């Protein structure tokens, strides 16, 4: 994976990142991403350290406009000095917590549109400059990744929730079959798997 600071650095990706590749806009998010896990109708969230906010201190040379890292390992939680503003305090401001009802709505949307029962998604809360008179409850949630059948690390009573989700899915399938339908049932997002 790569963090590209300026458009000019896109050419440097050739041979550095496997293709085909997905390009996403980076949004400053307070250095915290939220792992949202869905088990049937149940949703839980755990915060994780993420890439810090980016702010150019100067116009870096082309070789300093690109940060390559392995996204399957840990995300970089520190950036080179030219990519971030120097902190003048000993502690960073706390990240904004995402609204649980909003996360449940996103989970319901993904569940219905992707046909998934067991999945997770990563979301960040975009850091924006305060607007005079704006409500402090307005949040811009950005879904940055969707995973079918994630590891569910950090959940409480995950094995019981997992069993309940599987049972609920099986009961829906049986009910559909009793009504004479074919029972479109999906196993962890794989349509048609019995």
């Amino acid at each position: 994976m790569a963090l590209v600071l300026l458009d000019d650095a896109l050419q440097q990706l050739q041979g550095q990142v496997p293709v085909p590749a997905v390009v996403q806009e980076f949004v400053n998010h307070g250095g915290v991403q939220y792992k949202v896990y869905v088990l049937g109708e149940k949703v839980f969230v755990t915060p994780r350290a993420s890439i810090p906010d980016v702010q150019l201190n100067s116009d870096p040379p082309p070789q300093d406009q690109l940060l390559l890292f392995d996204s399957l390992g840990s995300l970089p939680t520190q950036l080179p000095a030219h990519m971030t503003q120097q902190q003048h305090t000993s502690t960073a401001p706390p990240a904004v917590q995402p609204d649980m009802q909003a996360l449940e709505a996103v989970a319901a949307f993904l569940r219905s549109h992707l046909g998934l029962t067991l999945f997770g998604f990563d979301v960040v809360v975009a850091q924006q400059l305060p607007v005079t008179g704006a409500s402090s409850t307005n949040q811009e949630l950005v879904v940055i990744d969707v995973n079918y059948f994630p590891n569910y690390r950090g959940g409480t009573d995950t094995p019981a929730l997992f069993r309940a989700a599987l049972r609920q899915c099986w009961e829906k399938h049986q009910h559909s079959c009793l009504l004479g339908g074919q029972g479109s049932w999906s196993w962890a997002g794989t349509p048609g798997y019995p």
Side-chain angles (χ1 to χ4, degrees), residues 117-176:
T117 302
L118 306 171
F119 66 99
F121 59 96
D122 300 341
V123 68
V124 296
V125 180
Q127 299 291 304
Q128 300 175 356
L129 296 173
V131 178
T132 306
S135 168
S136 61
T137 60
N138 287 343
Q139 295 180 340
E140 182 180 357
L141 300 180
V142 180
V143 176
I144 57 173
D145 196 12
V146 178
N147 307 290
Y148 63 93
F149 203 66
N151 64 26
Y152 297 104
R153 191 176 334 148
T156 304
D157 203 20
T158 304
L161 292 173
F162 182 77
R163 286 189 303 273
L166 289 179
R167 181 175 198 84
Q168 180 185 25
C169 193
W170 177 250
E171 288 170 355
K172 284 181 182 178
H173 174 69
Q174 283 187 319
H175 180 73
S176 176

Side-chain angles (χ1 to χ4, degrees), residues 4 11 43 62 71 74 78-79 82 88 103 108 122 154 161 179 187:
V4 179
Q11 293 176 332
V43 177
S71 64
S74 296
Q78 292 186 349
L79 296 176
H82 68 275
H88 297 292
L103 294 177
D122 300 341
L161 292 173
L179 295 175
W187 176 266

Side-chain angles (χ1 to χ4, degrees), residues 40-80:
E41 300 296 320
K42 300 293 183 185
V43 177
F44 65 92
V45 61
T46 60
R48 297 274 165 76
S50 183
I51 301 171
D53 290 347
V54 173
Q55 181 173 346
L56 293 177
N57 294 325
S58 62
D59 190 16
Q63 68 271 16
D64 290 342
Q65 295 179 16
L66 186 67
L67 176 66
L68 295 167
F69 58 94
D70 180 5
S71 64
L72 297 178
S74 296
L75 295 175
T77 56
Q78 292 186 349
L79 296 176

